[in-house]
Amino acid sequence: AVNKQALSFAQIVGINFFAYPYSLVLSTMALLTLPVEAERMYPENKGIMLGVMMGIAGVSQLVCPIVGYFSDKCNSRLGRR
């Protein structure tokens, strides 16, 4: 049987400690890098291409947890992941 014990606030902060810098990198990409790249690569349609790039980034953020769920449930001949 699995012992499910509640986590303390310090444990939750420790687990999520690296999520903050990762989110800073992603927000920098969305707010600074993509607009500059859209303007540089597609000066005549920069607004549309920025929307396309942001849409692709958003879809990839939705797909990753779904793929992770199925990966966690996967059983292969080598055992569980």
Side-chain angles (χ1 to χ4, degrees):
V2 176
N3 184 10
K4 292 187 178 185
Q5 181 180 355
L7 296 175
S8 70
F9 180 75
Q11 289 172 321
I12 293 172
V13 169
I15 290 170
N16 293 306
F17 184 72
F18 294 103
Y20 181 71
Y22 180 69
S23 67
L24 287 178
V25 169
L26 289 180
S27 64
T28 301
M29 176 69 89
L31 296 175
L32 300 175
T33 307
L34 284 181
V36 170
E37 288 299 312
E39 187 173 3
R40 184 183 66 83
M41 293 179 355
Y42 307 99
E44 65 282 346
N45 293 329
K46 60 187 173 192
I48 293 172
M49 292 314 295
L50 176 61
V52 169
M53 291 178 185
M54 298 280 282
I56 291 170
V59 168
S60 70
Q61 291 295 316
L62 293 174
V63 169
C64 290
I66 296 168
V67 171
Y69 172 79
F70 287 114
S71 173
D72 290 344
K73 301 295 181 187
C74 178
N75 287 319
S76 71
R77 62 183 175 85
L78 301 174
R80 285 186 52 98
R81 187 178 82 98

mmCIF file with all atom_site columns, all heavy atoms in Angstrom, residues 22-50:
data_model
loop_
_atom_site.group_PDB
_atom_site.id
_atom_site.type_symbol
_atom_site.label_atom_id
_atom_site.label_alt_id
_atom_site.label_comp_id
_atom_site.label_asym_id
_atom_site.label_entity_id
_atom_site.label_seq_id
_atom_site.pdbx_PDB_ins_code
_atom_site.Cartn_x
_atom_site.Cartn_y
_atom_site.Cartn_z
_atom_site.occupancy
_atom_site.B_iso_or_equiv
_atom_site.pdbx_formal_charge
_atom_site.auth_seq_id
_atom_site.auth_comp_id
_atom_site.auth_asym_id
_atom_site.auth_atom_id
_atom_site.pdbx_PDB_model_num
ATOM 1   N N   . TYR A 1 22 ? 12.075 28.775 -14.685 1.00 0.00 ? 22 TYR A N   1
ATOM 2   C CA  . TYR A 1 22 ? 11.616 28.229 -15.958 1.00 0.00 ? 22 TYR A CA  1
ATOM 3   C C   . TYR A 1 22 ? 10.496 29.094 -16.531 1.00 0.00 ? 22 TYR A C   1
ATOM 4   O O   . TYR A 1 22 ? 10.470 29.378 -17.730 1.00 0.00 ? 22 TYR A O   1
ATOM 5   C CB  . TYR A 1 22 ? 11.152 26.786 -15.759 1.00 0.00 ? 22 TYR A CB  1
ATOM 6   C CG  . TYR A 1 22 ? 10.657 26.121 -17.009 1.00 0.00 ? 22 TYR A CG  1
ATOM 7   C CD1 . TYR A 1 22 ? 11.541 25.801 -18.038 1.00 0.00 ? 22 TYR A CD1 1
ATOM 8   C CD2 . TYR A 1 22 ? 9.318  25.814 -17.170 1.00 0.00 ? 22 TYR A CD2 1
ATOM 9   C CE1 . TYR A 1 22 ? 11.092 25.194 -19.187 1.00 0.00 ? 22 TYR A CE1 1
ATOM 10  C CE2 . TYR A 1 22 ? 8.861  25.201 -18.318 1.00 0.00 ? 22 TYR A CE2 1
ATOM 11  C CZ  . TYR A 1 22 ? 9.754  24.890 -19.324 1.00 0.00 ? 22 TYR A CZ  1
ATOM 12  O OH  . TYR A 1 22 ? 9.310  24.297 -20.467 1.00 0.00 ? 22 TYR A OH  1
ATOM 13  N N   . SER A 1 23 ? 9.586  29.538 -15.693 1.00 0.00 ? 23 SER A N   1
ATOM 14  C CA  . SER A 1 23 ? 8.505  30.394 -16.173 1.00 0.00 ? 23 SER A CA  1
ATOM 15  C C   . SER A 1 23 ? 9.038  31.750 -16.616 1.00 0.00 ? 23 SER A C   1
ATOM 16  O O   . SER A 1 23 ? 8.496  32.353 -17.540 1.00 0.00 ? 23 SER A O   1
ATOM 17  C CB  . SER A 1 23 ? 7.426  30.551 -15.112 1.00 0.00 ? 23 SER A CB  1
ATOM 18  O OG  . SER A 1 23 ? 7.926  31.269 -14.010 1.00 0.00 ? 23 SER A OG  1
ATOM 19  N N   . LEU A 1 24 ? 10.088 32.243 -15.986 1.00 0.00 ? 24 LEU A N   1
ATOM 20  C CA  . LEU A 1 24 ? 10.704 33.493 -16.436 1.00 0.00 ? 24 LEU A CA  1
ATOM 21  C C   . LEU A 1 24 ? 11.293 33.341 -17.837 1.00 0.00 ? 24 LEU A C   1
ATOM 22  O O   . LEU A 1 24 ? 11.166 34.242 -18.670 1.00 0.00 ? 24 LEU A O   1
ATOM 23  C CB  . LEU A 1 24 ? 11.789 33.944 -15.464 1.00 0.00 ? 24 LEU A CB  1
ATOM 24  C CG  . LEU A 1 24 ? 11.328 34.502 -14.133 1.00 0.00 ? 24 LEU A CG  1
ATOM 25  C CD1 . LEU A 1 24 ? 12.523 34.851 -13.255 1.00 0.00 ? 24 LEU A CD1 1
ATOM 26  C CD2 . LEU A 1 24 ? 10.451 35.713 -14.328 1.00 0.00 ? 24 LEU A CD2 1
ATOM 27  N N   . VAL A 1 25 ? 11.921 32.208 -18.097 1.00 0.00 ? 25 VAL A N   1
ATOM 28  C CA  . VAL A 1 25 ? 12.473 31.961 -19.432 1.00 0.00 ? 25 VAL A CA  1
ATOM 29  C C   . VAL A 1 25 ? 11.353 31.911 -20.463 1.00 0.00 ? 25 VAL A C   1
ATOM 30  O O   . VAL A 1 25 ? 11.447 32.512 -21.538 1.00 0.00 ? 25 VAL A O   1
ATOM 31  C CB  . VAL A 1 25 ? 13.295 30.654 -19.443 1.00 0.00 ? 25 VAL A CB  1
ATOM 32  C CG1 . VAL A 1 25 ? 13.646 30.239 -20.854 1.00 0.00 ? 25 VAL A CG1 1
ATOM 33  C CG2 . VAL A 1 25 ? 14.552 30.815 -18.614 1.00 0.00 ? 25 VAL A CG2 1
ATOM 34  N N   . LEU A 1 26 ? 10.267 31.195 -20.149 1.00 0.00 ? 26 LEU A N   1
ATOM 35  C CA  . LEU A 1 26 ? 9.160  31.089 -21.097 1.00 0.00 ? 26 LEU A CA  1
ATOM 36  C C   . LEU A 1 26 ? 8.467  32.429 -21.318 1.00 0.00 ? 26 LEU A C   1
ATOM 37  O O   . LEU A 1 26 ? 8.098  32.761 -22.448 1.00 0.00 ? 26 LEU A O   1
ATOM 38  C CB  . LEU A 1 26 ? 8.156  30.055 -20.612 1.00 0.00 ? 26 LEU A CB  1
ATOM 39  C CG  . LEU A 1 26 ? 8.604  28.607 -20.670 1.00 0.00 ? 26 LEU A CG  1
ATOM 40  C CD1 . LEU A 1 26 ? 7.507  27.697 -20.164 1.00 0.00 ? 26 LEU A CD1 1
ATOM 41  C CD2 . LEU A 1 26 ? 9.006  28.213 -22.063 1.00 0.00 ? 26 LEU A CD2 1
ATOM 42  N N   . SER A 1 27 ? 8.280  33.206 -20.272 1.00 0.00 ? 27 SER A N   1
ATOM 43  C CA  . SER A 1 27 ? 7.625  34.498 -20.450 1.00 0.00 ? 27 SER A CA  1
ATOM 44  C C   . SER A 1 27 ? 8.517  35.454 -21.232 1.00 0.00 ? 27 SER A C   1
ATOM 45  O O   . SER A 1 27 ? 8.021  36.258 -22.021 1.00 0.00 ? 27 SER A O   1
ATOM 46  C CB  . SER A 1 27 ? 7.228  35.094 -19.108 1.00 0.00 ? 27 SER A CB  1
ATOM 47  O OG  . SER A 1 27 ? 8.369  35.376 -18.334 1.00 0.00 ? 27 SER A OG  1
ATOM 48  N N   . THR A 1 28 ? 9.835  35.367 -21.055 1.00 0.00 ? 28 THR A N   1
ATOM 49  C CA  . THR A 1 28 ? 10.752 36.181 -21.844 1.00 0.00 ? 28 THR A CA  1
ATOM 50  C C   . THR A 1 28 ? 10.639 35.809 -23.314 1.00 0.00 ? 28 THR A C   1
ATOM 51  O O   . THR A 1 28 ? 10.623 36.679 -24.185 1.00 0.00 ? 28 THR A O   1
ATOM 52  C CB  . THR A 1 28 ? 12.200 36.001 -21.360 1.00 0.00 ? 28 THR A CB  1
ATOM 53  O OG1 . THR A 1 28 ? 12.272 36.386 -19.996 1.00 0.00 ? 28 THR A OG1 1
ATOM 54  C CG2 . THR A 1 28 ? 13.166 36.823 -22.175 1.00 0.00 ? 28 THR A CG2 1
ATOM 55  N N   . MET A 1 29 ? 10.532 34.517 -23.581 1.00 0.00 ? 29 MET A N   1
ATOM 56  C CA  . MET A 1 29 ? 10.390 34.062 -24.962 1.00 0.00 ? 29 MET A CA  1
ATOM 57  C C   . MET A 1 29 ? 9.122  34.633 -25.582 1.00 0.00 ? 29 MET A C   1
ATOM 58  O O   . MET A 1 29 ? 9.135  35.144 -26.701 1.00 0.00 ? 29 MET A O   1
ATOM 59  C CB  . MET A 1 29 ? 10.353 32.535 -25.004 1.00 0.00 ? 29 MET A CB  1
ATOM 60  C CG  . MET A 1 29 ? 10.123 31.979 -26.381 1.00 0.00 ? 29 MET A CG  1
ATOM 61  S SD  . MET A 1 29 ? 11.502 32.249 -27.477 1.00 0.00 ? 29 MET A SD  1
ATOM 62  C CE  . MET A 1 29 ? 12.433 30.796 -27.135 1.00 0.00 ? 29 MET A CE  1
ATOM 63  N N   . ALA A 1 30 ? 8.019  34.592 -24.861 1.00 0.00 ? 30 ALA A N   1
ATOM 64  C CA  . ALA A 1 30 ? 6.743  35.041 -25.412 1.00 0.00 ? 30 ALA A CA  1
ATOM 65  C C   . ALA A 1 30 ? 6.667  36.559 -25.521 1.00 0.00 ? 30 ALA A C   1
ATOM 66  O O   . ALA A 1 30 ? 6.134  37.085 -26.494 1.00 0.00 ? 30 ALA A O   1
ATOM 67  C CB  . ALA A 1 30 ? 5.599  34.517 -24.557 1.00 0.00 ? 30 ALA A CB  1
ATOM 68  N N   . LEU A 1 31 ? 7.198  37.270 -24.543 1.00 0.00 ? 31 LEU A N   1
ATOM 69  C CA  . LEU A 1 31 ? 7.023  38.722 -24.500 1.00 0.00 ? 31 LEU A CA  1
ATOM 70  C C   . LEU A 1 31 ? 8.093  39.504 -25.251 1.00 0.00 ? 31 LEU A C   1
ATOM 71  O O   . LEU A 1 31 ? 7.826  40.603 -25.726 1.00 0.00 ? 31 LEU A O   1
ATOM 72  C CB  . LEU A 1 31 ? 6.978  39.204 -23.055 1.00 0.00 ? 31 LEU A CB  1
ATOM 73  C CG  . LEU A 1 31 ? 5.801  38.685 -22.238 1.00 0.00 ? 31 LEU A CG  1
ATOM 74  C CD1 . LEU A 1 31 ? 5.936  39.120 -20.787 1.00 0.00 ? 31 LEU A CD1 1
ATOM 75  C CD2 . LEU A 1 31 ? 4.492  39.157 -22.822 1.00 0.00 ? 31 LEU A CD2 1
ATOM 76  N N   . LEU A 1 32 ? 9.290  38.963 -25.357 1.00 0.00 ? 32 LEU A N   1
ATOM 77  C CA  . LEU A 1 32 ? 10.376 39.714 -25.974 1.00 0.00 ? 32 LEU A CA  1
ATOM 78  C C   . LEU A 1 32 ? 10.893 39.084 -27.266 1.00 0.00 ? 32 LEU A C   1
ATOM 79  O O   . LEU A 1 32 ? 11.010 39.766 -28.287 1.00 0.00 ? 32 LEU A O   1
ATOM 80  C CB  . LEU A 1 32 ? 11.546 39.858 -24.987 1.00 0.00 ? 32 LEU A CB  1
ATOM 81  C CG  . LEU A 1 32 ? 11.242 40.577 -23.680 1.00 0.00 ? 32 LEU A CG  1
ATOM 82  C CD1 . LEU A 1 32 ? 12.439 40.548 -22.762 1.00 0.00 ? 32 LEU A CD1 1
ATOM 83  C CD2 . LEU A 1 32 ? 10.815 42.002 -23.950 1.00 0.00 ? 32 LEU A CD2 1
ATOM 84  N N   . THR A 1 33 ? 11.198 37.818 -27.228 1.00 0.00 ? 33 THR A N   1
ATOM 85  C CA  . THR A 1 33 ? 11.861 37.178 -28.357 1.00 0.00 ? 33 THR A CA  1
ATOM 86  C C   . THR A 1 33 ? 10.931 36.962 -29.540 1.00 0.00 ? 33 THR A C   1
ATOM 87  O O   . THR A 1 33 ? 11.297 37.291 -30.679 1.00 0.00 ? 33 THR A O   1
ATOM 88  C CB  . THR A 1 33 ? 12.474 35.841 -27.916 1.00 0.00 ? 33 THR A CB  1
ATOM 89  O OG1 . THR A 1 33 ? 13.302 36.072 -26.779 1.00 0.00 ? 33 THR A OG1 1
ATOM 90  C CG2 . THR A 1 33 ? 13.297 35.221 -29.018 1.00 0.00 ? 33 THR A CG2 1
ATOM 91  N N   . LEU A 1 34 ? 9.746  36.406 -29.320 1.00 0.00 ? 34 LEU A N   1
ATOM 92  C CA  . LEU A 1 34 ? 8.853  36.117 -30.443 1.00 0.00 ? 34 LEU A CA  1
ATOM 93  C C   . LEU A 1 34 ? 8.425  37.368 -31.219 1.00 0.00 ? 34 LEU A C   1
ATOM 94  O O   . LEU A 1 34 ? 8.426  37.339 -32.451 1.00 0.00 ? 34 LEU A O   1
ATOM 95  C CB  . LEU A 1 34 ? 7.638  35.323 -29.973 1.00 0.00 ? 34 LEU A CB  1
ATOM 96  C CG  . LEU A 1 34 ? 7.887  33.844 -29.690 1.00 0.00 ? 34 LEU A CG  1
ATOM 97  C CD1 . LEU A 1 34 ? 6.597  33.169 -29.245 1.00 0.00 ? 34 LEU A CD1 1
ATOM 98  C CD2 . LEU A 1 34 ? 8.460  33.134 -30.878 1.00 0.00 ? 34 LEU A CD2 1
ATOM 99  N N   . PRO A 1 35 ? 8.068  38.470 -30.565 1.00 0.00 ? 35 PRO A N   1
ATOM 100 C CA  . PRO A 1 35 ? 7.728  39.664 -31.357 1.00 0.00 ? 35 PRO A CA  1
ATOM 101 C C   . PRO A 1 35 ? 8.887  40.172 -32.213 1.00 0.00 ? 35 PRO A C   1
ATOM 102 O O   . PRO A 1 35 ? 8.691  40.563 -33.363 1.00 0.00 ? 35 PRO A O   1
ATOM 103 C CB  . PRO A 1 35 ? 7.331  40.696 -30.299 1.00 0.00 ? 35 PRO A CB  1
ATOM 104 C CG  . PRO A 1 35 ? 6.904  39.895 -29.134 1.00 0.00 ? 35 PRO A CG  1
ATOM 105 C CD  . PRO A 1 35 ? 7.753  38.667 -29.147 1.00 0.00 ? 35 PRO A CD  1
ATOM 106 N N   . VAL A 1 36 ? 10.096 40.144 -31.676 1.00 0.00 ? 36 VAL A N   1
ATOM 107 C CA  . VAL A 1 36 ? 11.264 40.602 -32.439 1.00 0.00 ? 36 VAL A CA  1
ATOM 108 C C   . VAL A 1 36 ? 11.513 39.668 -33.618 1.00 0.00 ? 36 VAL A C   1
ATOM 109 O O   . VAL A 1 36 ? 11.784 40.120 -34.744 1.00 0.00 ? 36 VAL A O   1
ATOM 110 C CB  . VAL A 1 36 ? 12.507 40.694 -31.518 1.00 0.00 ? 36 VAL A CB  1
ATOM 111 C CG1 . VAL A 1 36 ? 13.773 40.929 -32.321 1.00 0.00 ? 36 VAL A CG1 1
ATOM 112 C CG2 . VAL A 1 36 ? 12.315 41.784 -30.492 1.00 0.00 ? 36 VAL A CG2 1
ATOM 113 N N   . GLU A 1 37 ? 11.425 38.355 -33.376 1.00 0.00 ? 37 GLU A N   1
ATOM 114 C CA  . GLU A 1 37 ? 11.643 37.392 -34.450 1.00 0.00 ? 37 GLU A CA  1
ATOM 115 C C   . GLU A 1 37 ? 10.546 37.477 -35.517 1.00 0.00 ? 37 GLU A C   1
ATOM 116 O O   . GLU A 1 37 ? 10.828 37.346 -36.705 1.00 0.00 ? 37 GLU A O   1
ATOM 117 C CB  . GLU A 1 37 ? 11.727 35.970 -33.893 1.00 0.00 ? 37 GLU A CB  1
ATOM 118 C CG  . GLU A 1 37 ? 13.009 35.696 -33.135 1.00 0.00 ? 37 GLU A CG  1
ATOM 119 C CD  . GLU A 1 37 ? 14.238 35.844 -34.021 1.00 0.00 ? 37 GLU A CD  1
ATOM 120 O OE1 . GLU A 1 37 ? 14.259 35.291 -35.135 1.00 0.00 ? 37 GLU A OE1 1
ATOM 121 O OE2 . GLU A 1 37 ? 15.177 36.539 -33.596 1.00 0.00 ? 37 GLU A OE2 1
ATOM 122 N N   . ALA A 1 38 ? 9.308  37.678 -35.109 1.00 0.00 ? 38 ALA A N   1
ATOM 123 C CA  . ALA A 1 38 ? 8.221  37.810 -36.083 1.00 0.00 ? 38 ALA A CA  1
ATOM 124 C C   . ALA A 1 38 ? 8.446  39.040 -36.959 1.00 0.00 ? 38 ALA A C   1
ATOM 125 O O   . ALA A 1 38 ? 8.243  38.990 -38.180 1.00 0.00 ? 38 ALA A O   1
ATOM 126 C CB  . ALA A 1 38 ? 6.880  37.900 -35.368 1.00 0.00 ? 38 ALA A CB  1
ATOM 127 N N   . GLU A 1 39 ? 8.881  40.141 -36.361 1.00 0.00 ? 39 GLU A N   1
ATOM 128 C CA  . GLU A 1 39 ? 9.145  41.357 -37.138 1.00 0.00 ? 39 GLU A CA  1
ATOM 129 C C   . GLU A 1 39 ? 10.346 41.185 -38.056 1.00 0.00 ? 39 GLU A C   1
ATOM 130 O O   . GLU A 1 39 ? 10.357 41.668 -39.186 1.00 0.00 ? 39 GLU A O   1
ATOM 131 C CB  . GLU A 1 39 ? 9.360  42.534 -36.198 1.00 0.00 ? 39 GLU A CB  1
ATOM 132 C CG  . GLU A 1 39 ? 9.474  43.848 -36.922 1.00 0.00 ? 39 GLU A CG  1
ATOM 133 C CD  . GLU A 1 39 ? 9.512  45.023 -35.980 1.00 0.00 ? 39 GLU A CD  1
ATOM 134 O OE1 . GLU A 1 39 ? 9.504  44.829 -34.750 1.00 0.00 ? 39 GLU A OE1 1
ATOM 135 O OE2 . GLU A 1 39 ? 9.544  46.150 -36.485 1.00 0.00 ? 39 GLU A OE2 1
ATOM 136 N N   . ARG A 1 40 ? 11.363 40.478 -37.586 1.00 0.00 ? 40 ARG A N   1
ATOM 137 C CA  . ARG A 1 40 ? 12.570 40.273 -38.389 1.00 0.00 ? 40 ARG A CA  1
ATOM 138 C C   . ARG A 1 40 ? 12.307 39.333 -39.560 1.00 0.00 ? 40 ARG A C   1
ATOM 139 O O   . ARG A 1 40 ? 12.757 39.572 -40.677 1.00 0.00 ? 40 ARG A O   1
ATOM 140 C CB  . ARG A 1 40 ? 13.695 39.699 -37.514 1.00 0.00 ? 40 ARG A CB  1
ATOM 141 C CG  . ARG A 1 40 ? 15.033 39.540 -38.243 1.00 0.00 ? 40 ARG A CG  1
ATOM 142 C CD  . ARG A 1 40 ? 16.079 38.913 -37.342 1.00 0.00 ? 40 ARG A CD  1
ATOM 143 N NE  . ARG A 1 40 ? 15.765 37.560 -36.985 1.00 0.00 ? 40 ARG A NE  1
ATOM 144 C CZ  . ARG A 1 40 ? 16.027 36.490 -37.738 1.00 0.00 ? 40 ARG A CZ  1
ATOM 145 N NH1 . ARG A 1 40 ? 16.594 36.626 -38.917 1.00 0.00 ? 40 ARG A NH1 1
ATOM 146 N NH2 . ARG A 1 40 ? 15.729 35.276 -37.321 1.00 0.00 ? 40 ARG A NH2 1
ATOM 147 N N   . MET A 1 41 ? 11.564 38.246 -39.335 1.00 0.00 ? 41 MET A N   1
ATOM 148 C CA  . MET A 1 41 ? 11.365 37.239 -40.376 1.00 0.00 ? 41 MET A CA  1
ATOM 149 C C   . MET A 1 41 ? 10.223 37.588 -41.329 1.00 0.00 ? 41 MET A C   1
ATOM 150 O O   . MET A 1 41 ? 10.275 37.242 -42.505 1.00 0.00 ? 41 MET A O   1
ATOM 151 C CB  . MET A 1 41 ? 11.101 35.875 -39.731 1.00 0.00 ? 41 MET A CB  1
ATOM 152 C CG  . MET A 1 41 ? 12.310 35.363 -38.993 1.00 0.00 ? 41 MET A CG  1
ATOM 153 S SD  . MET A 1 41 ? 12.225 33.757 -38.127 1.00 0.00 ? 41 MET A SD  1
ATOM 154 C CE  . MET A 1 41 ? 10.604 33.191 -38.242 1.00 0.00 ? 41 MET A CE  1
ATOM 155 N N   . TYR A 1 42 ? 9.186  38.250 -40.824 1.00 0.00 ? 42 TYR A N   1
ATOM 156 C CA  . TYR A 1 42 ? 8.001  38.555 -41.636 1.00 0.00 ? 42 TYR A CA  1
ATOM 157 C C   . TYR A 1 42 ? 7.590  40.017 -41.428 1.00 0.00 ? 42 TYR A C   1
ATOM 158 O O   . TYR A 1 42 ? 6.561  40.292 -40.819 1.00 0.00 ? 42 TYR A O   1
ATOM 159 C CB  . TYR A 1 42 ? 6.837  37.635 -41.254 1.00 0.00 ? 42 TYR A CB  1
ATOM 160 C CG  . TYR A 1 42 ? 7.179  36.181 -41.288 1.00 0.00 ? 42 TYR A CG  1
ATOM 161 C CD1 . TYR A 1 42 ? 7.497  35.489 -40.125 1.00 0.00 ? 42 TYR A CD1 1
ATOM 162 C CD2 . TYR A 1 42 ? 7.202  35.490 -42.493 1.00 0.00 ? 42 TYR A CD2 1
ATOM 163 C CE1 . TYR A 1 42 ? 7.824  34.152 -40.161 1.00 0.00 ? 42 TYR A CE1 1
ATOM 164 C CE2 . TYR A 1 42 ? 7.526  34.155 -42.537 1.00 0.00 ? 42 TYR A CE2 1
ATOM 165 C CZ  . TYR A 1 42 ? 7.843  33.483 -41.371 1.00 0.00 ? 42 TYR A CZ  1
ATOM 166 O OH  . TYR A 1 42 ? 8.169  32.155 -41.414 1.00 0.00 ? 42 TYR A OH  1
ATOM 167 N N   . PRO A 1 43 ? 8.364  40.958 -41.944 1.00 0.00 ? 43 PRO A N   1
ATOM 168 C CA  . PRO A 1 43 ? 8.051  42.368 -41.672 1.00 0.00 ? 43 PRO A CA  1
ATOM 169 C C   . PRO A 1 43 ? 6.701  42.818 -42.229 1.00 0.00 ? 43 PRO A C   1
ATOM 170 O O   . PRO A 1 43 ? 6.064  43.702 -41.660 1.00 0.00 ? 43 PRO A O   1
ATOM 171 C CB  . PRO A 1 43 ? 9.207  43.126 -42.323 1.00 0.00 ? 43 PRO A CB  1
ATOM 172 C CG  . PRO A 1 43 ? 9.846  42.177 -43.258 1.00 0.00 ? 43 PRO A CG  1
ATOM 173 C CD  . PRO A 1 43 ? 9.548  40.803 -42.760 1.00 0.00 ? 43 PRO A CD  1
ATOM 174 N N   . GLU A 1 44 ? 6.228  42.174 -43.298 1.00 0.00 ? 44 GLU A N   1
ATOM 175 C CA  . GLU A 1 44 ? 4.962  42.601 -43.882 1.00 0.00 ? 44 GLU A CA  1
ATOM 176 C C   . GLU A 1 44 ? 3.755  42.005 -43.173 1.00 0.00 ? 44 GLU A C   1
ATOM 177 O O   . GLU A 1 44 ? 2.666  42.554 -43.239 1.00 0.00 ? 44 GLU A O   1
ATOM 178 C CB  . GLU A 1 44 ? 4.916  42.258 -45.385 1.00 0.00 ? 44 GLU A CB  1
ATOM 179 C CG  . GLU A 1 44 ? 4.941  40.775 -45.717 1.00 0.00 ? 44 GLU A CG  1
ATOM 180 C CD  . GLU A 1 44 ? 6.312  40.124 -45.616 1.00 0.00 ? 44 GLU A CD  1
ATOM 181 O OE1 . GLU A 1 44 ? 7.328  40.825 -45.550 1.00 0.00 ? 44 GLU A OE1 1
ATOM 182 O OE2 . GLU A 1 44 ? 6.353  38.881 -45.587 1.00 0.00 ? 44 GLU A OE2 1
ATOM 183 N N   . ASN A 1 45 ? 3.915  40.885 -42.484 1.00 0.00 ? 45 ASN A N   1
ATOM 184 C CA  . ASN A 1 45 ? 2.811  40.217 -41.772 1.00 0.00 ? 45 ASN A CA  1
ATOM 185 C C   . ASN A 1 45 ? 3.207  39.881 -40.339 1.00 0.00 ? 45 ASN A C   1
ATOM 186 O O   . ASN A 1 45 ? 2.896  38.794 -39.846 1.00 0.00 ? 45 ASN A O   1
ATOM 187 C CB  . ASN A 1 45 ? 2.409  38.925 -42.492 1.00 0.00 ? 45 ASN A CB  1
ATOM 188 C CG  . ASN A 1 45 ? 1.788  39.176 -43.837 1.00 0.00 ? 45 ASN A CG  1
ATOM 189 O OD1 . ASN A 1 45 ? 1.153  40.189 -44.041 1.00 0.00 ? 45 ASN A OD1 1
ATOM 190 N ND2 . ASN A 1 45 ? 1.990  38.252 -44.758 1.00 0.00 ? 45 ASN A ND2 1
ATOM 191 N N   . LYS A 1 46 ? 3.884  40.780 -39.677 1.00 0.00 ? 46 LYS A N   1
ATOM 192 C CA  . LYS A 1 46 ? 4.424  40.457 -38.354 1.00 0.00 ? 46 LYS A CA  1
ATOM 193 C C   . LYS A 1 46 ? 3.344  40.133 -37.324 1.00 0.00 ? 46 LYS A C   1
ATOM 194 O O   . LYS A 1 46 ? 3.521  39.244 -36.497 1.00 0.00 ? 46 LYS A O   1
ATOM 195 C CB  . LYS A 1 46 ? 5.322  41.573 -37.841 1.00 0.00 ? 46 LYS A CB  1
ATOM 196 C CG  . LYS A 1 46 ? 4.643  42.910 -37.698 1.00 0.00 ? 46 LYS A CG  1
ATOM 197 C CD  . LYS A 1 46 ? 5.637  43.979 -37.348 1.00 0.00 ? 46 LYS A CD  1
ATOM 198 C CE  . LYS A 1 46 ? 4.934  45.328 -37.387 1.00 0.00 ? 46 LYS A CE  1
ATOM 199 N NZ  . LYS A 1 46 ? 5.880  46.416 -37.332 1.00 0.00 ? 46 LYS A NZ  1
ATOM 200 N N   . GLY A 1 47 ? 2.204  40.793 -37.380 1.00 0.00 ? 47 GLY A N   1
ATOM 201 C CA  . GLY A 1 47 ? 1.134  40.527 -36.413 1.00 0.00 ? 47 GLY A CA  1
ATOM 202 C C   . GLY A 1 47 ? 0.537  39.141 -36.572 1.00 0.00 ? 47 GLY A C   1
ATOM 203 O O   . GLY A 1 47 ? 0.316  38.418 -35.592 1.00 0.00 ? 47 GLY A O   1
ATOM 204 N N   . ILE A 1 48 ? 0.289  38.759 -37.808 1.00 0.00 ? 48 ILE A N   1
ATOM 205 C CA  . ILE A 1 48 ? -0.280 37.430 -38.066 1.00 0.00 ? 48 ILE A CA  1
ATOM 206 C C   . ILE A 1 48 ? 0.714  36.347 -37.682 1.00 0.00 ? 48 ILE A C   1
ATOM 207 O O   . ILE A 1 48 ? 0.351  35.350 -37.048 1.00 0.00 ? 48 ILE A O   1
ATOM 208 C CB  . ILE A 1 48 ? -0.691 37.311 -39.549 1.00 0.00 ? 48 ILE A CB  1
ATOM 209 C CG1 . ILE A 1 48 ? -1.855 38.249 -39.836 1.00 0.00 ? 48 ILE A CG1 1
ATOM 210 C CG2 . ILE A 1 48 ? -1.045 35.870 -39.904 1.00 0.00 ? 48 ILE A CG2 1
ATOM 211 C CD1 . ILE A 1 48 ? -2.212 38.358 -41.294 1.00 0.00 ? 48 ILE A CD1 1
ATOM 212 N N   . MET A 1 49 ? 1.964  36.527 -38.068 1.00 0.00 ? 49 MET A N   1
ATOM 213 C CA  . MET A 1 49 ? 2.963  35.498 -37.763 1.00 0.00 ? 49 MET A CA  1
ATOM 214 C C   . MET A 1 49 ? 3.242  35.402 -36.263 1.00 0.00 ? 49 MET A C   1
ATOM 215 O O   . MET A 1 49 ? 3.511  34.315 -35.755 1.00 0.00 ? 49 MET A O   1
ATOM 216 C CB  . MET A 1 49 ? 4.254  35.773 -38.536 1.00 0.00 ? 49 MET A CB  1
ATOM 217 C CG  . MET A 1 49 ? 4.083  35.591 -40.034 1.00 0.00 ? 49 MET A CG  1
ATOM 218 S SD  . MET A 1 49 ? 3.198  34.082 -40.519 1.00 0.00 ? 49 MET A SD  1
ATOM 219 C CE  . MET A 1 49 ? 4.311  32.828 -39.988 1.00 0.00 ? 49 MET A CE  1
ATOM 220 N N   . LEU A 1 50 ? 3.160  36.530 -35.560 1.00 0.00 ? 50 LEU A N   1
ATOM 221 C CA  . LEU A 1 50 ? 3.303  36.471 -34.101 1.00 0.00 ? 50 LEU A CA  1
ATOM 222 C C   . LEU A 1 50 ? 2.172  35.652 -33.508 1.00 0.00 ? 50 LEU A C   1
ATOM 223 O O   . LEU A 1 50 ? 2.391  34.826 -32.609 1.00 0.00 ? 50 LEU A O   1
ATOM 224 C CB  . LEU A 1 50 ? 3.331  37.873 -33.505 1.00 0.00 ? 50 LEU A CB  1
ATOM 225 C CG  . LEU A 1 50 ? 3.392  37.951 -31.980 1.00 0.00 ? 50 LEU A CG  1
ATOM 226 C CD1 . LEU A 1 50 ? 4.657  37.274 -31.463 1.00 0.00 ? 50 LEU A CD1 1
ATOM 227 C CD2 . LEU A 1 50 ? 3.327  39.391 -31.519 1.00 0.00 ? 50 LEU A CD2 1
#
